[in-house]
Amino acid sequence: MNSHLLQRKQRKQTKKLRRRRPITSTQRKVMNFILAAFVAAAVSTAAKFLGPPILAALTSPQQSKHGIGQCEGYYPDTEICLLLGTSPEWFQRNRENAECPQWKIDTTCEGKDAFIEKLKGIETVAKEWEDSLAEMDMDTIAKCGGQEAVKPPVWIRRERGVAWSRIQEGIMAGNSEYHCDRDGGNMCWTDALLPMYVEQYGFKPSKEFHVFVSMFDLNSFRNALQEMKTRCVSE
């Protein structure tokens, strides 16, 4: 009887020791695989119920504000955006490519033609003003009141490097920025924004930039250029 009880006690102790045995690497791999499969299934189910808009909001970073302090028309690196093509699917969106121009293409945008015409007019006058200044020497500028007196409301900054299209591979996008000083800040945009993204692909700029263009006094800008030419270049 005592021998039988002793054997039962030994078997219980053996079972306890087995339970305390550490998890092997093989067992851990199996557990990780099961966990990964469970997570993938959960994400798939969420996609069906939440839908593209909500998931896109969950995966995208905070929207960066263009306009004052930042130039409209700058996007993530080419190797990131080019992978999206011209018509990406919603599930391709992630934190890296959320700011690529492909996500803001809207060919049916209301007021697009008027916006393009207005912005094109602003850029044209800015280029004409730049050409006029190029014809003036320092003595002429001094007679006209100095650099501040001939500085245009919208001026062009030329960069040394060249930017490349984020939508079409191997296409140069430009190397300049348009700047407009206002309200103690600066509104700026790239020279590729209008011809390459807005006109060609139907890119929809930020609301802030759209308001800036619509509220810009183009006639006053033209008149100021003519007044500067009459006062300085014609002398």
Side-chain angles (χ1 to χ4, degrees):
M1 185 68 178
N2 291 336
S3 177
H4 180 68
L5 291 174
L6 182 60
Q7 290 177 356
R8 289 182 60 184
K9 186 175 182 180
Q10 289 176 344
R11 282 197 296 268
K12 288 182 179 180
Q13 291 177 345
T14 302
K15 289 181 179 180
K16 289 181 180 180
L17 291 174
R18 288 176 179 174
R19 291 194 191 103
R20 296 174 183 174
R21 185 177 298 171
I23 298 174
T24 64
S25 59
T26 302
Q27 290 173 327
R28 192 178 299 278
K29 290 180 181 179
V30 172
M31 292 173 65
N32 290 337
F33 176 80
I34 296 174
L35 179 61
F38 175 78
V39 172
V43 171
S44 178
T45 303
K48 294 179 181 179
F49 288 96
L50 294 177
I54 299 178
L55 283 182
L58 291 174
T59 58
S60 63
Q62 294 181 348
Q63 297 294 321
S64 61
K65 293 183 178 180
H66 296 292
I68 296 178
Q70 290 184 313
C71 285
E72 189 88 17
Y74 280 112
Y75 312 107
D77 294 338
T78 53
E79 58 267 23
I80 295 175
C81 294
L82 288 177
L83 293 176
L84 297 173
T86 56
S87 302
E89 298 291 343
W90 65 268
F91 55 80
Q92 292 179 265
R93 185 167 182 169
N94 55 45
R95 293 182 180 275
E96 283 190 332
N97 65 33
E99 292 298 317
C100 290
Q102 287 89 331
W103 299 117
K104 297 181 181 179
I105 291 177
D106 183 4
T107 56
T108 62
C109 180
E110 185 177 355
K112 174 186 173 183
D113 292 339
F115 174 84
I116 290 175
E117 183 179 358
K118 184 72 172 292
L119 184 56
K120 190 174 293 186
I122 296 173
E123 294 183 357
T124 298
V125 177
K127 291 175 183 176
E128 291 178 1
W129 199 307
E130 183 183 55
D131 292 339
S132 296
L133 291 178
E135 298 174 0
M136 300 167 60
D137 55 28
M138 295 304 298
D139 290 338
T140 303
I141 293 177
K143 292 178 181 179
C144 288
Q147 294 183 357
E148 287 299 320
V150 298
K151 182 179 179 180
V154 177
W155 47 279
I156 304 173
R157 176 180 176 180
R158 305 290 182 179
E159 302 289 348
R160 293 183 179 179
V162 176
W164 298 89
S165 171
R166 269 35 176 193
I167 298 180
Q168 190 174 356
E169 187 174 3
I171 302 298
M172 288 189 293
N175 67 340
S176 302
E177 298 172 351
Y178 292 90
H179 288 259
C180 179
D181 298 325
R182 65 186 187 103
D183 301 332
N186 178 269
M187 174 66 76
C188 63
W189 65 98
T190 66
D191 60 340
L193 177 67
L194 176 60
M196 176 163 291
Y197 296 109
V198 177
E199 286 190 292
Q200 185 173 354
Y201 293 105
F203 173 82
K204 184 179 180 180
S206 67
K207 182 178 179 180
E208 183 182 8
F209 186 69
H210 200 283
V211 171
F212 162 76
V213 173
S214 63
M215 297 296 291
F216 188 88
D217 193 340
L218 182 55
N219 288 330
S220 294
F221 190 21
R222 289 195 180 105
N223 293 336
L225 172 61
Q226 293 303 320
E227 189 275 333
M228 190 273 294
K229 285 183 176 181
T230 302
R231 179 167 49 89
C232 302
V233 180
S234 299
E235 291 183 356

